[in-house]
Structure formats: C-alpha cells, structure tokens
Amino acid sequence: MNARKETKAAQIARTLADRIVSGKLEPGARLRQDHIAEEFGASHVPVREAFRLLEAQGLAKNEPRRGVRVAAFDLNQVREVAEMRAALEVLALRNAAQHLTPAILAAAEEATLEGDQARDVMAWEAANRRFHRLLAAPCGMPRLLAAIDDLHAASARFLFSAWRSNWETRTDRDHRTILEHLRRGETDAACAVLARHVQWIGHKPVETASGKQRKAFVIEG
C-alpha cells in the first residue's frame, strides 16, 4: 500500500514539476490540495507527499497561512544556477575533452544548427541542452552529470517563464567557437568560452496571468 502511495505521489510530483518548469504554473500560483487530489483521483496523502517532493526540488514552498505555492525565483537564484553550471560544466568538459570524437562534435554542431532554426522556446531549449550534454557526457562522472542535468532543469524553468510566446530566433556563435577550439585541441580556450557562455543572464518584461508585469531573468546559454 505504501508503495502504491509513493508511486502515486511521484506521478503527481512529476506532472506538477513539468507544469512548473514549462511556466504553465507561474511563480506564486497556489497548489490546491483538494483540486489536485480530484484531478489525479487520489487521497490527500499522496498529494501532500508530492508537495514535499516539489519542496525538496525547490519548485514549491509551503507558506504559513498561504498554503503551498509555486516557488518564486529572483536574480540571485538565477545567478547561482549560472555560476554552478559554469563550474560544473567546465569540470565535465575538462574530463571529457580527450574522449570527444569527431562524431560527437558533429552531433553537437547539428544540435547547434537545430537550435538556430528553432521556432519556439521548447525546441531551442531541447537543442541547447543536447549540445551541452553531448560535450559533458564523455567525462564518465555520473554524479557530476546528474547535478548538471538538475541545473539545466532549473535553467529551463527560468527560460520558459520568460519566453512562453514571441520567441526570437538566434544564432549561437559561442557554441561554434567552443567546437572550433575543441577540434583544435584547445581545451582551456573551449572551457573559457563555455564558462562565459553559461553565465550570460538576460532579462525581459513578462505579463503575468493577472495582467501585471514582472521582470524575468534567464540564462541564455
């Protein structure tokens, strides 16, 4: 019975996490236990457990007298993720560099091209994440890669909160510069560009569901 409840809680948590990361649930939105239990055909027990899982991921916050809400984020949090990504992705690339084959670099270049041609933010984010994952994966350090994956999920949340509409196509010259350095065996130069690339933070005004405007900060690398 406990296993079934845990499975239901994980299912609810994954679905809500997807909605939060994609921006369908905005920062500050209340997660109503009754409504969620009804939607998933569950009792309140797995819903409460799902809320705890979301809190552990930093996606939800239980506020006194306000209930459980989607966690908000500010510039300091975005900067923290950017700096952590720079440190960890550079570490991964240094360990992966000697294992990067021409085929891997070609796949990374193809991912960059797909990002340049993306018609919406979801397609761009998927291509961008694939580029970074291809270069990091050969490091052979699973814990490091898992931490990087978590940081990319956080980056995606920042990105989707700002770019739900009016996507602007872009050309990622940093990706191409990184690949050029790697093809020439210039690991230090590639790492320097990568560190700068993932720490670039942009911002844009976003209209909330209530019609108000807020400033959204995004990691653009």
Side-chain angles (χ1 to χ4, degrees):
M1 188 173 180
N2 287 336
R4 285 198 298 273
K5 287 180 180 177
E6 290 173 1
T7 300
K8 193 68 173 181
Q11 176 194 350
I12 295 170
R14 279 196 305 273
T15 302
L16 294 177
D18 287 344
R19 293 174 186 174
I20 292 169
V21 169
S22 68
K24 292 178 182 176
L25 286 173
E26 292 191 341
R30 186 174 179 186
L31 300 176
R32 298 181 182 276
Q33 190 175 121
D34 290 343
H35 293 176
I36 293 170
E38 181 179 355
E39 176 185 351
F40 289 91
S43 69
H44 286 185
V45 175
V47 175
R48 285 195 293 268
E49 176 61 21
F51 287 171
R52 285 193 287 271
L53 292 171
L54 292 172
E55 287 184 72
Q57 293 177 274
L59 295 176
K61 186 175 182 181
N62 194 347
E63 301 180 353
R65 296 182 297 279
R66 298 189 72 219
V68 179
R69 295 179 179 270
V70 175
F73 52 83
D74 58 22
L75 177 58
N76 288 334
Q77 290 170 288
V78 178
R79 186 177 289 126
E80 178 185 24
V81 170
E83 291 181 2
M84 289 179 68
R85 275 190 58 192
L88 297 189
E89 289 189 42
V90 164
L91 175 61
L93 183 57
R94 286 195 183 281
N95 284 275
Q98 62 181 322
H99 306 295
L100 291 172
T101 64
I104 293 173
L105 296 178
E109 187 163 15
E110 180 63 26
T112 293
L113 181 60
E114 289 178 12
D116 290 348
Q117 296 173 343
R119 298 298 181 89
D120 58 58
V121 65
M122 300 287 285
W124 182 88
E125 194 279 331
N128 183 67
R129 191 186 298 216
R130 187 161 61 256
F131 171 87
H132 287 273
R133 194 62 162 79
L134 282 164
L135 297 187
C139 74
M141 304 168 74
R143 289 184 181 179
L144 175 61
L145 292 172
I148 291 171
D149 286 344
D150 286 344
L151 292 171
H152 272 276
S155 289
R157 186 186 174 208
F158 305 150
L159 186 72
F160 295 152
S161 75
W163 286 109
R164 285 194 297 276
S165 61
N166 300 321
W167 174 247
E168 297 174 3
T169 56
R170 56 193 64 197
T171 299
D172 203 320
R173 294 182 176 83
D174 281 350
H175 282 191
R176 289 175 171 82
T177 302
I178 291 168
L179 292 175
E180 288 172 8
H181 285 309
L182 290 173
R183 287 188 173 112
R184 293 198 293 261
E186 299 167 352
T187 303
D188 287 347
C191 287
V193 176
L194 175 62
R196 173 176 54 78
H197 173 67
V198 300
Q199 289 186 85
W200 176 256
I201 296 174
H203 61 85
K204 70 188 291 282
V206 174
E207 187 171 306
T208 67
S210 62
K212 297 180 180 179
Q213 278 203 341
R214 63 180 174 84
K215 185 178 287 188
F217 298 96
V218 297
I219 299 169
E220 299 192 349

Short mmCIF file of all heavy atoms in Angstrom, two decimals, residues 80-95 144 148 151 191 194-196 198-199:
data_model
loop_
_atom_site.label_atom_id
_atom_site.label_comp_id
_atom_site.label_asym_id
_atom_site.label_seq_id
_atom_site.Cartn_x
_atom_site.Cartn_y
_atom_site.Cartn_z
N GLU A 80 23.03 32.14 -9.18
CA GLU A 80 23.60 30.97 -8.52
C GLU A 80 23.63 29.77 -9.47
O GLU A 80 24.65 29.07 -9.57
CB GLU A 80 22.78 30.62 -7.28
CG GLU A 80 23.28 29.37 -6.55
CD GLU A 80 22.39 28.96 -5.39
OE1 GLU A 80 21.19 29.33 -5.39
OE2 GLU A 80 22.90 28.27 -4.49
N VAL A 81 22.52 29.53 -10.17
CA VAL A 81 22.47 28.41 -11.13
C VAL A 81 23.49 28.62 -12.24
O VAL A 81 24.19 27.68 -12.64
CB VAL A 81 21.05 28.25 -11.70
CG1 VAL A 81 21.05 27.27 -12.87
CG2 VAL A 81 20.09 27.80 -10.61
N ALA A 82 23.60 29.85 -12.74
CA ALA A 82 24.55 30.13 -13.81
C ALA A 82 25.98 29.87 -13.37
O ALA A 82 26.78 29.25 -14.11
CB ALA A 82 24.40 31.57 -14.28
N GLU A 83 26.33 30.30 -12.16
CA GLU A 83 27.69 30.11 -11.67
C GLU A 83 27.99 28.63 -11.40
O GLU A 83 29.10 28.15 -11.66
CB GLU A 83 27.92 30.95 -10.42
CG GLU A 83 27.94 32.46 -10.71
CD GLU A 83 28.19 33.31 -9.48
OE1 GLU A 83 28.39 32.72 -8.39
OE2 GLU A 83 28.19 34.55 -9.60
N MET A 84 26.98 27.92 -10.89
CA MET A 84 27.16 26.49 -10.66
C MET A 84 27.31 25.75 -11.98
O MET A 84 28.16 24.85 -12.11
CB MET A 84 25.98 25.92 -9.87
CG MET A 84 25.95 26.36 -8.42
SD MET A 84 24.50 25.69 -7.53
CE MET A 84 24.90 23.94 -7.50
N ARG A 85 26.51 26.12 -12.97
CA ARG A 85 26.64 25.50 -14.29
C ARG A 85 28.03 25.74 -14.86
O ARG A 85 28.65 24.82 -15.42
CB ARG A 85 25.58 26.04 -15.25
CG ARG A 85 24.24 25.32 -15.16
CD ARG A 85 23.34 25.75 -16.30
NE ARG A 85 23.94 25.49 -17.60
CZ ARG A 85 23.47 25.96 -18.74
NH1 ARG A 85 22.40 26.74 -18.76
NH2 ARG A 85 24.07 25.66 -19.88
N ALA A 86 28.53 26.96 -14.74
CA ALA A 86 29.86 27.27 -15.27
C ALA A 86 30.92 26.38 -14.62
O ALA A 86 31.75 25.78 -15.31
CB ALA A 86 30.18 28.74 -15.05
N ALA A 87 30.87 26.27 -13.30
CA ALA A 87 31.87 25.47 -12.60
C ALA A 87 31.78 23.99 -12.95
O ALA A 87 32.79 23.34 -13.26
CB ALA A 87 31.72 25.67 -11.09
N LEU A 88 30.56 23.45 -12.94
CA LEU A 88 30.40 22.01 -13.14
C LEU A 88 30.56 21.60 -14.60
O LEU A 88 31.14 20.55 -14.91
CB LEU A 88 29.05 21.55 -12.60
CG LEU A 88 28.83 21.73 -11.10
CD1 LEU A 88 27.54 21.04 -10.66
CD2 LEU A 88 30.00 21.21 -10.28
N GLU A 89 30.06 22.43 -15.52
CA GLU A 89 30.19 22.07 -16.94
C GLU A 89 31.64 22.19 -17.41
O GLU A 89 32.08 21.42 -18.26
CB GLU A 89 29.25 22.92 -17.79
CG GLU A 89 27.79 22.54 -17.59
CD GLU A 89 26.85 23.21 -18.58
OE1 GLU A 89 27.19 23.28 -19.77
OE2 GLU A 89 25.77 23.64 -18.13
N VAL A 90 32.37 23.14 -16.87
CA VAL A 90 33.80 23.23 -17.20
C VAL A 90 34.54 22.01 -16.66
O VAL A 90 35.40 21.43 -17.35
CB VAL A 90 34.40 24.54 -16.65
CG1 VAL A 90 35.93 24.47 -16.63
CG2 VAL A 90 33.94 25.73 -17.49
N LEU A 91 34.21 21.59 -15.44
CA LEU A 91 34.83 20.39 -14.87
C LEU A 91 34.53 19.18 -15.75
O LEU A 91 35.43 18.37 -16.05
CB LEU A 91 34.28 20.15 -13.46
CG LEU A 91 34.73 18.86 -12.76
CD1 LEU A 91 36.24 18.82 -12.60
CD2 LEU A 91 34.03 18.72 -11.41
N ALA A 92 33.28 19.06 -16.19
CA ALA A 92 32.91 17.93 -17.05
C ALA A 92 33.65 17.99 -18.38
O ALA A 92 34.16 16.97 -18.87
CB ALA A 92 31.40 17.93 -17.28
N LEU A 93 33.72 19.17 -18.98
CA LEU A 93 34.38 19.29 -20.29
C LEU A 93 35.86 18.97 -20.20
O LEU A 93 36.43 18.33 -21.09
CB LEU A 93 34.16 20.70 -20.86
CG LEU A 93 34.75 20.93 -22.26
CD1 LEU A 93 34.18 19.92 -23.27
CD2 LEU A 93 34.46 22.36 -22.72
N ARG A 94 36.53 19.42 -19.13
CA ARG A 94 37.95 19.12 -18.98
C ARG A 94 38.19 17.60 -18.93
O ARG A 94 39.18 17.10 -19.46
CB ARG A 94 38.50 19.79 -17.72
CG ARG A 94 38.67 21.28 -17.84
CD ARG A 94 39.54 21.85 -16.74
NE ARG A 94 39.62 23.31 -16.84
CZ ARG A 94 40.41 23.94 -17.71
NH1 ARG A 94 41.18 23.25 -18.53
NH2 ARG A 94 40.43 25.26 -17.74
N ASN A 95 37.28 16.89 -18.26
CA ASN A 95 37.44 15.44 -18.16
C ASN A 95 36.95 14.71 -19.40
O ASN A 95 37.34 13.57 -19.65
CB ASN A 95 36.69 14.93 -16.92
CG ASN A 95 37.43 15.21 -15.63
OD1 ASN A 95 38.30 14.45 -15.22
ND2 ASN A 95 37.12 16.33 -15.00
N LEU A 144 28.33 13.92 -11.34
CA LEU A 144 28.51 15.25 -11.90
C LEU A 144 27.47 15.51 -12.98
O LEU A 144 26.84 16.58 -13.03
CB LEU A 144 29.92 15.38 -12.47
CG LEU A 144 30.25 16.69 -13.20
CD1 LEU A 144 30.11 17.89 -12.28
CD2 LEU A 144 31.66 16.63 -13.79
N ILE A 148 24.51 18.39 -13.19
CA ILE A 148 24.38 19.29 -14.34
C ILE A 148 22.97 19.20 -14.93
O ILE A 148 22.37 20.22 -15.29
CB ILE A 148 25.45 18.97 -15.40
CG1 ILE A 148 26.84 19.35 -14.88
CG2 ILE A 148 25.16 19.71 -16.71
CD1 ILE A 148 27.99 18.89 -15.76
N LEU A 151 20.66 21.26 -12.91
CA LEU A 151 20.85 22.69 -13.17
C LEU A 151 20.24 23.11 -14.50
O LEU A 151 19.69 24.21 -14.62
CB LEU A 151 22.34 23.03 -13.13
CG LEU A 151 23.01 22.91 -11.76
CD1 LEU A 151 24.53 23.04 -11.89
CD2 LEU A 151 22.48 23.96 -10.79
N CYS A 191 36.98 25.82 -22.60
CA CYS A 191 36.41 25.94 -21.25
C CYS A 191 36.15 27.39 -20.88
O CYS A 191 35.15 27.71 -20.22
CB CYS A 191 37.34 25.30 -20.22
SG CYS A 191 37.35 23.48 -20.28
N LEU A 194 33.03 28.44 -22.68
CA LEU A 194 31.88 27.77 -22.06
C LEU A 194 31.49 28.45 -20.75
O LEU A 194 30.30 28.70 -20.50
CB LEU A 194 32.22 26.30 -21.80
CG LEU A 194 31.16 25.48 -21.06
CD1 LEU A 194 29.86 25.41 -21.86
CD2 LEU A 194 31.69 24.08 -20.76
N ALA A 195 32.47 28.76 -19.91
CA ALA A 195 32.18 29.40 -18.62
C ALA A 195 31.50 30.74 -18.82
O ALA A 195 30.53 31.08 -18.13
CB ALA A 195 33.47 29.56 -17.82
N ARG A 196 32.00 31.54 -19.76
CA ARG A 196 31.38 32.83 -20.04
C ARG A 196 29.99 32.66 -20.62
O ARG A 196 29.05 33.37 -20.26
CB ARG A 196 32.27 33.62 -21.01
CG ARG A 196 31.65 34.92 -21.51
CD ARG A 196 32.62 35.71 -22.38
NE ARG A 196 33.16 34.94 -23.47
CZ ARG A 196 32.50 34.66 -24.61
NH1 ARG A 196 31.25 35.08 -24.77
NH2 ARG A 196 33.08 33.97 -25.57
N VAL A 198 27.67 30.23 -20.30
CA VAL A 198 26.57 29.82 -19.44
C VAL A 198 26.30 30.80 -18.30
O VAL A 198 25.32 30.64 -17.57
CB VAL A 198 26.79 28.40 -18.86
CG1 VAL A 198 26.91 27.39 -19.99
CG2 VAL A 198 27.99 28.35 -17.96
N GLN A 199 27.16 31.81 -18.15
CA GLN A 199 26.92 32.80 -17.12
C GLN A 199 26.26 34.08 -17.66
O GLN A 199 26.04 35.03 -16.91
CB GLN A 199 28.23 33.16 -16.41
CG GLN A 199 28.75 32.03 -15.53
CD GLN A 199 29.96 32.44 -14.72
OE1 GLN A 199 29.87 33.02 -13.64
NE2 GLN A 199 31.14 32.14 -15.25
#
